[in-house]
Amino acid sequence: MTKKPNLILLLCLLASTWTQAQTKLVEKVTKKGSELVIPYEKHVLSNGLTLVIHEDHSDPIAHVDVTYHVGSAREEIGKSGFAHFFEHMMFQGSDHVGDEEHFKIVSESGGDLNGTTNRDRTNYFETLPSNQLETALWLEADRMGFLLDAVNQRKFEVQRSTVKNERGQNYDNRPYGLATEYTAKNLYPYGHPYSWLTIGYVEDLDRVDVNDLKNFFLRWYGPNNAVVTVGGDVNPKEVVKLAEKYFGPIPRGPEVKPTKVPAPVLAQDRYISYEDNIRFPMLRMTFPGVPTFHPDEAALDCLAEILGQGKNSILYKNLIISQKAVQATVSHPTSELSGEFTFVALPYPGQRLDSMETIIRQSLAEFEKRGVSDDDISRFKASYEAGEINGLSSVAGKVSQLAQYQTFTGNPNYITKQMKNYMGVTKADVMRVYNQYIKGKKAVILSVIPKGQNVAAAAPDNYKISQEGYKAPDYGYDGLKYAKAKDNFDRSKRPASGKNPVVKIPPFWTDKFENGIKVIGAKNDEIPTVTLLFTIQGGHRMSALEPSKAGVASLTASLMNEDTENYTAEQMSNELEKLGSSISIASGAESYTVSVQSLVKNLDATLKLLEERMYHPKFAQDDFERLKKQQLEGIANQNTQPTVIASKVYNRLLFGEGNIRAVPQSGTEETVKSITLEDVKNFYKKNFSPTVTNLVIVGDIDQPTIMPKLSFLNKWEKKDVSLPPATITKTIDKTKVYLVDKEKAPQSEIRVGYVAMPFDATGEYYKSNIMNYVLGDAFNSRINLNLREDKGYTYGAYSFFSGTKSVGPFTSGAGVRANVTDSALVEIVKEITNYRDSGITDAELAFTKSSIGQSDALEYETGFQKAGFLNQIIQYNLEADFVDKQNEILKTITKEEINALAKKHLPIEKMNILVVGDKELMKPKLEKLGYELVELDKEGNPVQVQVAPAVEEPRSEAPAGAAAPGSTEKKKKGKKSK
């Protein structure tokens, strides 16, 4: 009897030794003083998986990121888009997680999630309350080790359709959406892994089958090609144990070696072109750059900023200020194998693309003569430092940086070296990289030509892609076998949740200035920054007092970002960038916002510039003429974008003729043309007042310190500002379909909705959002699952209530493939109708309460999140305990209440249905749906339906009061509705 316990003891000791051998602690990095570093532990499991852990108990959340070192650069000619396709398939269930369950489990845990793919890596991530950490690791490990048996042909076909929709929405149906694709395939040699985009080609997606996809997974998705990074309110020892439990048994995959390809070499400038449905032509000039983390990356980034970023750049002066282009930028995006130094110019109609190329080349010559100034270097370094610091404001931001550095450099602490590289850039470095990579070098020069316009390319096409010398790589797909982990526990059991974390609403303080400004603030000491957000009531809504000047609010905001009485726009920009600060003014539907971001150490200097910008706008005539021209061109450009057309016409249908909300915030061509500089000055004088202003302050500063610094706000003169009353002039008697023609559009935009109710925090509006959650708000909502996951019609479908103080529409919609527009519309209407008539299920109600109820942990993490929360309190005059009241409503709301809200607020028989797309393809199908069909133009005006002239018959006498045959009255009676 004594041997058995000893045997058990021996086995336990062996098991303990075996477990400890699974994971090796490679390094532990801690923060010393004020250095910019992300503390972490790095471990490696025996199967090659790298585990990086960052401990941060400032908020009760955890973020899990799994990065696989595979992107489109691991694909082959003819099989493009695999990495991105697999990103979609990884959400379709695994052995122990059902179809669509990944999204559902994370959502009902109060978390959010996503995945992204680029050229060089694919990552999957979740942010959840910290008590759900084990669930996140269980989910990620299951799709790493137990995916392929759950991948079937049906899921493959649905996700193939979804990816096609994504390509249509983000590339084929978007202005300039194919510019990067044309550049890539002409910049890199045939077969180079960067010569196609991550989204891939539709013909390649059509060519492959589910077995090709499975082989791709077996080759690249092993634990030895992955980094698991966990951050937040976690215990590193516990994380290691959980990683060993769930990831440790997964067998090692095939070895993955670094990809090595030569940098592209261009013997001549390669001129290429294509046509697009756009208003402004585009010139895009791309030189080969350097890869990410190359020693010259920082200097080239600085060069790009000097040449074409911000109001002090050379291209801004030569193309924007001179009113030759509506947009001109220079960028230096980098990837693991290469970089691209790119100039982009969008000339105004009437300007030539070859002239754009000439000006760009003249600007380079000007740079050579001008050189690099001390201010150039100061601006670049300060902006980079501020950007890095702000990137660390969230656990997700820190985790993603650790994951990126580990994946591409093998050193999670590379932030210290990266910061040293950027802070060490000199004027000589910038001139050296200019001479090495740009001066005298050849480029791919792409002209994007507007369809139907007589616009010439910068030069005739002179380059054809050649396959000469191409040899397909052997990526080692032969003989791959699927081996599953062998566990000593039941992996099918979902882990139990830990104790719910205590979520504390950020403590805040309030104050008020003598002139009426209401102030609310909160201290946030995680990073040394301060955010100020002014909300000035009015905005576009004020144009209701003078509708003929609609667009003046937007134009006023634009001018306030330009010259002041004591600074040119360039001088102001220079000073702000040297501080690493930003001040921006924007106009919205019902308010103006003034946003300020500053490092604490530079706050005083930033506030002096804020005082200048708010109190002393110059409203210069030349700025006015240039910005008015830009606004008019922007209005003309709206009709090239289906989503913009849909938004504009939908608002007009909702609010009706004569309501300012039916007019775009940018105004119309007619209203903007009528605006004078005096109108702008008067708008500013009348409507910018402290009496309608709220101020939110969040940052590493307390009330006694910040308020004296803001004493200059007391100088702001009080004005009597009366907001126009909110009026709704449009009612819907019955549902109709309104059709706007967007010729040859590969996708259609659908909007279904009506004017519902204004915002409230604890009343019927709040409760209706709870009601809508499973209809169209959650990823697992009925509408999205139907249209995206079941039918493959769309990249995403939705419904929501969007309330303001005065008004709040209900909207459902989607961007769908053109050939299924009618079917998609039927499904949207069906889901709304079924939910309204049959109500919510018990399971859906439980999911809604769990998901919304636990999401509070994610709501108040960053300074921007805290500012948004406080802004809501002060804007709507909410009580301090409104969140507690919301939680109580959520906890106690019943199925019967939800169903009553659905019946009341989903009047599907009295909603507008708008479809924007290819009329020739859609109209015959839409006419069969049984709705009255009304054709509109792109402004929302009825289209005159052409009726064939009546054949002239011999006239006969008609009774008094009757219409003679063929008369006008009779023809009117037979016309279709407009």
Side-chain angles (χ1 to χ4, degrees):
M1 296 295 294
T2 57
K3 290 183 180 179
K4 191 172 182 180
N6 288 340
L7 178 60
I8 292 174
L9 177 62
L10 177 60
L11 289 173
C12 289
L13 288 171
L14 287 173
S16 175
T17 304
W18 178 84
T19 300
Q20 291 172 7
Q22 294 302 293
T23 304
K24 176 184 178 183
L25 174 62
V26 177
E27 62 180 342
K28 183 174 182 177
V29 171
T30 58
K31 185 175 181 178
K32 299 174 184 177
S34 60
E35 66 178 339
L36 191 65
V37 68
I38 308 171
Y40 68 89
E41 293 182 10
K42 175 180 171 182
H43 304 259
V44 177
L45 278 64
S46 62
N47 59 6
L49 178 76
T50 301
L51 175 65
V52 180
I53 307 166
H54 165 65
E55 189 175 4
D56 176 3
H57 299 290
S58 58
D59 294 282
I61 61 175
H63 185 83
V64 175
D65 177 290
V66 181
T67 297
Y68 296 89
H69 197 166
V70 55
S72 56
R74 304 282 192 186
E75 296 165 354
E76 304 171 76
I77 285 285
K79 294 182 178 181
S80 64
F82 265 30
H84 174 254
F85 197 164
F86 224 97
E87 177 206 315
H88 283 250
M89 294 304 300
M90 288 279 272
F91 289 99
Q92 300 308 304
S94 48
D95 279 4
H96 311 108
V97 181
D99 191 9
E100 311 305 340
E101 283 293 302
H102 196 116
F103 273 101
K104 185 176 182 229
I105 289 171
V106 173
S107 296
E108 72 182 359
S109 300
D112 57 35
L113 71 162
N114 213 331
T116 67
T117 310
N118 64 26
R119 286 168 162 176
D120 307 306
R121 63 101 186 101
T122 307
N123 70 337
Y124 305 87
F125 48 89
E126 298 90 4
T127 308
L128 309 95
S130 52
N131 66 318
Q132 302 290 344
L133 171 64
E134 186 172 359
T135 295
L137 293 172
W138 168 71
L139 286 167
E140 289 295 351
D142 210 62
R143 59 182 174 186
M144 179 185 285
F146 299 87
L147 183 86
L148 290 191
D149 285 345
V151 174
N152 56 42
Q153 191 67 34
R154 184 192 67 81
K155 293 179 183 178
F156 175 84
E157 295 296 345
V158 169
Q159 291 310 310
R160 173 154 57 184
S161 294
T162 302
V163 172
K164 288 181 181 179
N165 284 316
E166 184 177 355
R167 180 180 169 100
Q169 183 173 312
N170 294 337
Y171 297 87
D172 300 328
N173 204 33
R174 176 172 290 181
Y176 315 105
L178 297 177
T180 51
E181 184 170 272
Y182 272 82
T183 297
K185 66 185 180 182
N186 287 282
L187 175 64
Y188 297 101
Y190 181 83
H192 188 288
Y194 287 175
S195 63
W196 55 84
L197 298 189
T198 303
I199 193 71
Y201 295 110
V202 169
E203 55 267 31
D204 287 354
L205 294 173
D206 286 336
R207 182 183 297 119
V208 300
D209 62 28
V210 69
N211 291 319
D212 293 316
L213 207 65
K214 288 183 176 182
N215 269 335
F216 190 82
F217 176 84
L218 290 173
R219 179 64 187 90
W220 305 110
Y221 278 77
N224 50 306
N225 197 36
V227 177
V228 174
T229 311
V230 179
D233 184 22
V234 300
N235 181 315
K237 290 182 179 179
E238 179 187 356
V239 175
V240 171
K241 289 180 181 178
L242 292 173
E244 289 172 340
K245 175 180 178 179
Y246 292 111
F247 290 95
I250 299 173
R252 188 182 186 94
E255 291 304 307
V256 176
K257 296 180 180 179
T259 301
K260 294 183 179 180
V261 291
V265 177
L266 279 61
Q268 62 176 2
D269 288 323
R270 298 175 180 177
Y271 288 92
I272 55 173
S273 64
Y274 77 96
E275 286 192 343
D276 198 356
N277 188 17
I278 52 177
R279 175 172 175 80
F280 307 113
M282 171 192 277
L283 183 79
R284 181 184 175 101
M285 183 183 298
T286 303
F287 297 83
V290 299
T292 305
F293 305 124
H294 187 281
D296 289 339
E297 180 185 15
L300 281 167
D301 284 352
C302 184
L303 175 63
E305 184 175 292
I306 295 167
L307 290 173
Q309 294 175 20
K311 293 182 177 179
N312 288 285
S313 68
I314 295 174
L315 283 194
Y316 186 83
K317 173 178 67 71
N318 292 346
L319 285 172
I320 304 300
I321 295 296
S322 66
Q323 300 188 44
K324 291 182 172 65
V326 68
Q327 180 180 325
T329 60
V330 181
S331 61
H332 179 230
T334 61
S335 302
E336 185 178 19
L337 306 178
S338 181
E340 297 159 16
F341 199 93
T342 301
F343 297 77
V344 174
L346 274 64
Y348 282 111
Q351 296 286 331
R352 296 166 56 96
L353 287 175
D354 56 356
S355 298
M356 293 298 103
E357 181 185 354
T358 299
I359 294 172
I360 289 173
R361 294 191 184 280
Q362 290 172 346
S363 297
L364 291 175
E366 179 182 339
F367 168 74
E368 286 189 56
K369 185 176 180 180
R370 166 194 182 278
V372 183
S373 70
D374 291 334
D375 274 1
D376 290 334
I377 299 296
S378 296
R379 286 197 309 268
F380 174 72
K381 292 180 179 179
S383 297
Y384 182 81
E385 180 189 24
E388 288 296 291
I389 291 172
N390 283 310
L392 305 182
S393 63
S394 68
V395 169
K398 290 181 280 190
V399 165
S400 63
Q401 284 222 26
L402 290 170
Q404 177 186 354
Y405 290 140
Q406 171 59 38
T407 300
F408 296 119
T409 73
N411 175 17
N413 194 34
Y414 198 81
I415 188 172
T416 56
K417 184 174 181 181
Q418 188 80 332
M419 180 62 72
K420 184 178 180 181
N421 289 343
Y422 276 78
M423 293 299 101
V425 169
T426 66
K427 293 189 285 186
D429 289 332
V430 178
M431 292 306 302
R432 175 180 56 77
V433 297
Y434 168 75
N435 288 319
Q436 183 174 346
Y437 298 102
I438 307 299
K439 183 179 180 180
K441 299 301 185 290
K442 307 304 179 184
V444 171
I445 303 171
L446 170 67
S447 299
V448 186
I449 309 299
K451 289 180 180 177
Q453 292 187 26
N454 186 23
V455 175
D461 290 11
N462 70 346
Y463 180 73
K464 290 186 177 180
I465 299 169
S466 171
Q467 300 182 24
E468 185 178 350
Y470 171 71
K471 181 180 179 182
D474 181 5
Y475 281 127
Y477 286 106
D478 293 339
L480 295 175
K481 293 182 179 180
Y482 183 30
K484 295 185 182 181
K486 296 179 180 179
D487 297 316
N488 57 5
F489 67 97
D490 186 356
R491 198 180 282 262
S492 67
K493 290 185 177 179
R494 176 179 168 181
S497 301
K499 185 179 179 181
N500 281 348
V502 177
V503 181
K504 295 181 180 179
I505 295 170
F508 58 86
W509 51 267
T510 60
D511 213 325
K512 189 173 182 178
F513 286 91
E514 293 177 0
N515 55 9
I517 302 174
K518 297 176 183 177
V519 186
I520 188 169
K523 185 173 174 62
N524 181 46
D525 59 5
E526 293 181 35
I527 57 174
T529 64
V530 178
T531 298
L532 281 74
L533 178 65
F534 295 82
T535 302
I536 305 163
Q537 301 304 313
H540 179 59
R541 179 177 172 182
M542 301 305 296
S543 291
L545 301 175
E546 196 174 2
S548 63
K549 302 290 184 179
V552 67
S554 178
L555 191 52
T556 302
S558 297
L559 275 162
M560 289 185 70
N561 289 307
E562 295 294 326
D563 291 356
T564 67
E565 292 175 3
N566 299 300
Y567 290 80
T568 65
E570 292 77 16
Q571 289 169 336
M572 176 70 77
S573 178
N574 184 51
E575 295 304 312
L576 284 170
E577 289 179 28
K578 286 195 294 182
L579 297 170
S581 301
S582 65
I583 300 172
S584 62
I585 301 174
S587 174
E590 298 200 354
S591 63
Y592 267 86
T593 56
V594 181
S595 304
V596 183
Q597 183 77 26
S598 174
L599 299 176
V600 173
K601 66 182 180 181
N602 295 329
L603 181 60
D604 290 344
T606 302
L607 292 177
K608 288 181 180 178
L609 296 171
L610 173 65
E611 180 179 0
E612 174 72 18
R613 175 147 280 175
M614 287 183 68
Y615 293 171
H616 305 290
K618 188 174 183 180
F619 296 128
Q621 184 69 38
D622 57 343
D623 287 338
F624 169 76
E625 291 173 357
R626 171 171 50 85
L627 293 173
K628 180 177 176 178
K629 180 180 179 182
Q630 286 182 3
Q631 193 156 318
L632 285 167
E633 290 294 341
I635 291 167
N637 188 48
Q638 290 172 353
N639 288 338
T640 67
Q641 304 173 54
T643 54
V644 178
I645 297 170
S647 296
K648 178 172 62 175
V649 177
Y650 181 65
N651 282 336
R652 184 162 178 179
L653 289 172
L654 285 181
F655 299 113
E657 193 74 30
N659 192 313
I660 195 61
R661 291 171 181 80
V663 182
Q665 294 178 37
S666 57
T668 66
E669 183 178 3
E670 181 182 5
T671 63
V672 174
K673 280 183 176 178
S674 74
I675 297 171
T676 66
L677 181 57
E678 201 61 32
D679 292 326
V680 170
K681 292 178 180 179
N682 288 333
F683 192 88
Y684 170 78
K685 289 176 184 176
K686 291 178 181 179
N687 300 312
F688 272 74
S689 172
T691 57
V692 289
T693 297
N694 300 325
L695 170 59
V696 177
I697 304 168
V698 176
D700 190 12
I701 197 165
D702 56 25
Q703 181 182 5
T705 305
I706 186 65
M707 289 303 291
K709 295 178 183 292
L710 296 172
S711 60
F712 68 91
L713 292 174
N714 282 311
K715 303 176 187 176
W716 197 354
E717 181 186 353
K718 295 172 66 173
K719 301 163 191 172
D720 185 16
V721 178
S722 297
L723 300 176
T727 56
I728 304 300
T729 58
K730 182 78 170 176
T731 58
I732 304 172
D733 297 325
K734 67 173 183 177
T735 297
K736 301 176 184 177
V737 173
Y738 296 89
L739 174 60
V740 178
D741 187 19
K742 185 69 175 70
E743 305 84 354
K744 307 300 181 184
Q747 281 202 315
S748 303
E749 289 292 332
I750 298 174
R751 302 289 185 272
V752 181
Y754 75 107
V755 177
M757 61 195 131
F759 172 89
D760 68 62
T762 55
E764 203 147 301
Y765 175 83
Y766 173 69
K767 293 175 183 177
S768 294
N769 274 285
I770 298 174
M771 176 269 290
N772 178 67
Y773 191 71
V774 294
L775 174 63
D777 193 5
F779 181 89
N780 280 63
S781 69
R782 293 186 182 191
I783 292 174
N784 193 56
L785 284 186
N786 183 340
L787 269 71
R788 172 179 161 136
E789 299 302 310
D790 295 341
K791 304 291 193 307
Y793 290 164
T794 181
Y795 183 49
Y798 53 82
S799 66
F800 59 89
F801 290 89
S802 56
T804 66
K805 278 186 177 180
S806 57
V807 71
F810 166 81
T811 302
S812 180
V816 302
R817 290 201 321 273
N819 64 336
V820 297
T821 303
D822 57 322
S823 300
L825 176 55
V826 167
E827 295 302 320
I828 290 174
V829 172
K830 182 188 80 173
E831 293 296 350
I832 296 173
T833 303
N834 287 347
Y835 191 62
R836 190 270 310 272
D837 294 344
S838 302
I840 195 169
T841 67
D842 291 333
E844 287 174 329
L845 181 58
F847 168 76
T848 297
K849 290 188 174 187
S850 177
S851 180
I852 298 175
Q854 294 189 78
S855 64
D856 276 354
L858 280 63
E859 294 296 318
Y860 319 115
E861 182 193 8
T862 68
F864 285 108
Q865 286 176 311
K866 288 182 173 72
F869 171 73
L870 297 180
N871 191 48
Q872 189 179 52
I873 290 177
I874 197 168
Q875 182 178 356
Y876 294 104
N877 195 28
L878 302 180
E879 297 177 3
D881 64 346
F882 85 95
V883 173
D884 293 334
K885 291 179 179 178
Q886 286 182 337
N887 290 334
E888 185 61 25
I889 291 169
L890 179 66
K891 189 185 302 182
T892 59
I893 197 167
T894 65
K895 187 176 179 181
E896 290 70 27
E897 287 180 272
I898 293 285
N899 292 344
L901 289 164
K903 288 185 185 299
K904 181 177 179 181
H905 294 298
L906 297 176
I908 191 61
E909 295 83 6
K910 293 186 178 182
M911 293 190 190
N912 292 314
I913 296 176
L914 172 66
V915 180
V916 179
D918 186 359
K919 169 186 166 181
E920 184 178 349
L921 176 66
M922 295 187 306
K923 185 179 177 182
K925 297 180 179 180
L926 292 174
E927 286 177 328
K928 296 178 182 179
L929 299 184
Y931 298 101
E932 181 181 344
L933 184 69
V934 182
E935 292 185 45
L936 303 175
D937 65 17
K938 294 181 176 68
E939 302 301 326
N941 300 308
V943 173
Q944 182 71 36
V945 178
Q946 297 297 319
V947 177
V951 177
E952 191 70 35
E953 297 287 344
R955 291 184 178 272
S956 61
E957 290 296 323
S967 70
T968 303
E969 287 81 4
K970 190 168 184 178
K971 283 192 286 184
K972 277 187 178 178
K973 190 175 179 181
K975 278 190 178 180
K976 295 180 180 179
S977 295
K978 297 176 185 176

